[in-house]
């Protein structure tokens, strides 16, 4: 889970004992539950001309890596965003990218 701590550090430098110092990152909206969809962003930036997928388990990675390699061999770039967070993975369900 991502955290952006620069605003918290700035707050603490100015008001180290203020109310904000006791607030959680969630209270301050400095918390992001999911990582960005890097594969989707890359595919959109490529105008859809990119093989882009996400793998959340080792099994998915094993299945998708040969596809990524084949895409590159065929002259189409590939982005395989792997977030392996145990048997269930980081992303619930299927999150393959199908842009454009």
């Amino acid at each position: 889970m991502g955290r952006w701590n620069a605003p918290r550090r700035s707050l603490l430098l100015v008001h180290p004992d203020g109310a904000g110092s006791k607030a959680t990152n969630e209270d301050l909206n400095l918390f992001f539950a999911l990582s960005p969809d890097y594969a989707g962003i890359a595919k959109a930036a490529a105008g859809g001309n990119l093989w882009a997928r996400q793998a959340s388990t080792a099994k998915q990675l094993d299945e998708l890596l040969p596809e990524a390699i084949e895409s590159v061999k065929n002259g189409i770039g590939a982005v395989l965003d792997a977030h392996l967070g145990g048997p269930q993975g980081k992303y619930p369900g299927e999150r393959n990218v199908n842009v454009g």
Side-chain angles (χ1 to χ4, degrees), residues 9-97:
R9 289 185 187 129
S10 296
L11 175 134
L12 293 175
L13 286 171
V14 177
H15 302 287
D17 299 316
S21 70
K22 296 164 186 58
T24 67
N25 280 354
E26 292 84 355
D27 293 336
L28 297 172
N29 292 316
L30 301 176
F31 183 79
F32 306 99
L34 291 177
S35 295
D37 180 1
Y38 294 114
I41 293 167
K43 187 161 187 170
N49 188 28
L50 183 76
W51 181 97
R53 301 287 189 276
Q54 292 174 328
S56 59
T57 65
K59 181 179 183 227
Q60 286 178 332
L61 181 61
D62 189 46
E63 293 168 356
L64 293 173
L65 191 54
E67 289 182 29
I69 293 168
E70 191 62 30
S71 180
V72 172
K73 285 181 177 179
N74 291 327
I76 297 173
V79 172
L80 178 52
D81 185 10
H83 293 268
L84 308 180
Q88 298 305 312
K90 183 172 183 176
Y91 300 112
E94 195 68 29
R95 288 218 21 199
N96 285 347
V97 178

